[in-house]
Amino acid sequence: DQPANVTASTLEYDGSKGHAVYTGGSRLWQGDTAISGERITIDEASGDLFASGGVRSTLMLDQLDTKTNERRRVHTLASAQDLHYEEALRRATYTTNAHVNGPHGDLRAVKIEMYLVEGGGSLERVEAYDQVSVKAENRTATGDRMTYFADEEKYVMTGQVRTVADCR
């Protein structure tokens, strides 16, 4: 329900397809959410967004703190070579050197998928694939695949898993 703003060096718009392609230092922001990259493509019909070329994004998401049982707004920062947001699935997929830092920890992988709850505003889960590394609180874990369930603050990691805890 908020206006979306975009800046870029060039804009190509195809009204018949409802596609807008922004290139050259593109930056899109809407409320507390911002996405930047060399190229941003918006499909108005589906609500999908594609960004490429050194993508960076900032999201403000509601997160339930299971210790205090209170909701709070937290920053989630992400970067990758490419980003594909699919409105129908409420899924943001970061690929190639994906890095997401948020309430779930500091996560790096080849591909990271963030699923938002219906209506947006909060995280449902995070899926990470290939060469996964996550740092959360006083632990670091590596493995082949990881799922983080936001409502339970639960991590499930599979593959060749290695965990290191700082037990000072």
Side-chain angles (χ1 to χ4, degrees):
D1 297 335
Q2 298 176 333
N5 302 284
V6 184
T7 60
S9 296
T10 62
L11 163 63
E12 294 177 33
Y13 182 73
D14 183 340
S16 65
K17 293 182 181 177
H19 284 177
V21 180
Y22 300 89
T23 55
S26 305
R27 183 172 187 272
L28 177 145
W29 69 97
Q30 183 177 29
D32 293 330
T33 298
I35 299 167
S36 64
E38 188 55 33
R39 177 184 180 109
I40 296 175
T41 302
I42 300 171
D43 182 333
E44 293 174 339
S46 66
D48 290 1
L49 178 141
F50 304 87
S52 61
V55 174
R56 297 197 177 285
S57 68
T58 302
L59 308 168
M60 283 296 288
L61 298 173
D62 291 330
Q63 179 72 26
L64 179 66
D65 185 330
T66 56
K67 294 174 185 153
T68 64
N69 211 26
E70 294 179 9
R71 286 201 140 331
R72 57 188 171 103
R73 304 257 310 148
V74 294
H75 272 99
T76 297
L77 307 172
S79 63
Q81 184 60 33
D82 300 298
L83 163 63
H84 180 197
Y85 175 73
E86 299 165 272
E87 178 67 28
L89 299 174
R90 298 177 315 278
R91 176 176 65 191
T93 303
Y94 295 87
T95 53
T96 311
N97 297 322
H99 179 206
V100 177
N101 192 319
H104 57 275
D106 189 359
L107 175 63
R108 294 176 187 271
V110 172
K111 179 170 92 170
I112 299 172
E113 298 173 338
M114 296 176 62
Y115 290 84
L116 303 175
V117 298
E118 190 168 346
S122 61
L123 191 62
E124 177 186 295
R125 73 181 191 278
V126 177
E127 304 276 351
Y129 304 87
D130 302 319
Q131 301 171 21
V132 177
S133 172
V134 62
K135 294 178 185 177
E137 296 182 18
N138 62 346
R139 290 183 180 84
T140 300
T142 58
D144 298 328
R145 189 170 183 317
M146 186 214 71
T147 303
Y148 169 75
F149 299 94
D151 62 343
E152 302 173 67
E153 294 184 2
K154 175 182 169 183
Y155 299 82
V156 176
M157 187 167 280
T158 59
Q160 295 287 74
V161 178
R162 180 170 184 244
T163 304
V164 177
D166 181 9
C167 300
R168 294 184 197 175

